[in-house]
Amino acid sequence: MSNDTITSRWTCLFFGMPCTFSAPILSALARPDIELVGVVSPQSAPDSEPFRLIRGLRSRATVTLSGQASHFAAPRYMVRDVNHPRLHAELASLDPDLIIVACYPSLIPAEIVAMARVAAINVHPALLPRHRGPDPLFWTFQAGDDQSGVTLHALSPQYDAGDILLQATTPIGPDESLPSLERRLAQIGAELVGRLIDDLPHLPTPIPQDGATATWESWPRALDREIDPGWTIERARRFIAGAAATHGPLTYRADQQSVSITGPAGPGVGHEIRLRDGSLFVAWRS
């Protein structure tokens, strides 16, 4: 649907935490054919209340549309219990055409998903079905992947398991950091959301995920931050460059040697770690 021929607006309900990944996707909803009717964030509410509506405060974003700065505002819902019937009744009253989720830590209940007249989708920073779960960028670097991407998929009863609607890939630089990749994926996610809205009421043909190739990873544990001597130099280097600064300390243990890797060090400061295809000098603090 072209913005030049808009005759109506799509009502949209957004779920997400304030973070690097979700912010550009929320900003992508500031367009003439979208009416943002609510922004739902996981926040503390009074113990007796499942959610708190900020009536006097508006969730605000600024983006550039056709060379002009554009603003939008929507009520904010600070949610303690996403499964509470009172919250469901409140959100149903908003009558959303679309539900868009980006970086929301809880599974969206089926009762909320069913409220979307057109589509309820999640924007996931990985190439599903690979790297399902709550911290996909860590696992992307831990696996030594040389590419990543963003997947728009239908919400489903399981995390990150719904049919794929749109997907885009991007290469990962050999020394790229997690924050750098996250910023790029956020922009890709915003572009995919824009593409999906442009074509409404038509949706892309849904593609079921291949469960046989799916991977699920939870929050990383200390063991997941270890560099195995059986890794290749390339995998270890990508993991250190990508995740040490955000998820460190990473550790390496072999031949009675233990190295803790937490962040960049000065020239000539570091450690040599032995891997299956050679040695890697790690110029990072320990």
Side-chain angles (χ1 to χ4, degrees):
M1 183 176 66
S2 169
N3 287 343
D4 296 331
T5 59
I6 293 170
T7 58
S8 63
R9 304 177 76 194
W10 305 101
T11 54
C12 181
L13 183 59
F14 179 84
F15 286 74
M17 296 188 297
C19 66
T20 299
F21 184 72
S22 65
I25 295 164
L26 175 59
S27 293
L29 301 177
R31 45 186 290 164
D33 52 353
I34 290 292
E35 179 185 358
L36 190 65
V37 294
V39 175
V40 180
S41 298
Q43 299 272 345
S44 297
D47 290 343
S48 61
E49 299 294 333
F51 68 93
R52 181 163 54 100
L53 172 59
I54 312 290
R55 296 186 183 277
L57 179 66
R58 297 286 177 163
S59 176
R60 192 170 296 278
T62 303
V63 297
T64 299
L65 295 173
S66 303
Q68 300 295 321
S70 176
H71 303 270
F72 70 86
R76 293 188 66 190
Y77 294 86
M78 321 300 277
V79 173
R80 178 176 60 85
D81 183 1
V82 74
N83 292 291
H84 201 282
R86 278 184 52 200
L87 175 67
H88 296 179
E90 173 74 19
L91 298 183
S93 72
L94 301 176
D95 202 22
D97 296 310
L98 300 171
I99 292 176
I100 295 180
V101 181
C103 202
Y104 196 84
S106 301
L107 189 68
I108 306 300
E111 292 83 357
I112 293 179
V113 173
M115 296 175 193
R117 286 195 298 262
V118 177
I121 67 167
N122 182 49
V123 187
H124 187 75
L127 295 173
L128 293 175
R130 187 168 172 80
H131 301 313
R132 295 175 179 175
D135 198 359
L137 295 187
F138 170 85
W139 295 104
T140 295
F141 284 105
Q142 200 263 5
D145 292 353
D146 60 7
Q147 69 172 3
S148 183
V150 177
T151 305
L152 267 60
H153 68 90
L155 293 179
S156 67
Q158 293 81 39
Y159 283 105
D160 307 325
D163 291 350
I164 294 171
L165 299 177
L166 290 172
Q167 193 170 69
T169 63
T170 185
I172 302 173
D175 297 308
E176 185 158 23
S177 68
L178 188 151
S180 169
L181 178 61
E182 184 177 28
R183 288 191 295 270
R184 189 162 72 258
L185 294 179
Q187 293 300 325
I188 293 172
E191 292 166 5
L192 291 180
V193 168
R195 281 175 50 191
L196 182 135
I197 294 172
D198 284 342
D199 289 338
L200 292 177
H202 305 292
L203 294 172
T205 301
I207 301 173
Q209 294 190 39
D210 181 2
T213 61
T215 61
W216 164 267
E217 298 107 357
S218 188
W219 293 107
R221 306 158 298 168
L223 180 65
D224 302 318
R225 295 180 173 89
E226 292 188 0
I227 299 166
D228 191 293
W231 288 6
T232 63
I233 290 175
E234 179 70 9
R235 178 175 178 181
R237 184 171 57 79
R238 286 183 176 274
F239 186 39
I240 293 166
T246 57
H247 288 71
L250 310 182
T251 57
Y252 167 86
R253 295 185 179 90
D255 301 327
Q256 299 182 336
Q257 178 190 16
S258 179
V259 176
S260 179
I261 303 166
T262 57
V269 179
H271 306 270
E272 186 176 42
I273 61 176
R274 297 177 182 176
L275 301 158
R276 79 171 186 228
D277 58 354
S279 297
L280 175 65
F281 182 79
V282 183
W284 290 63
R285 289 193 299 268
S286 68

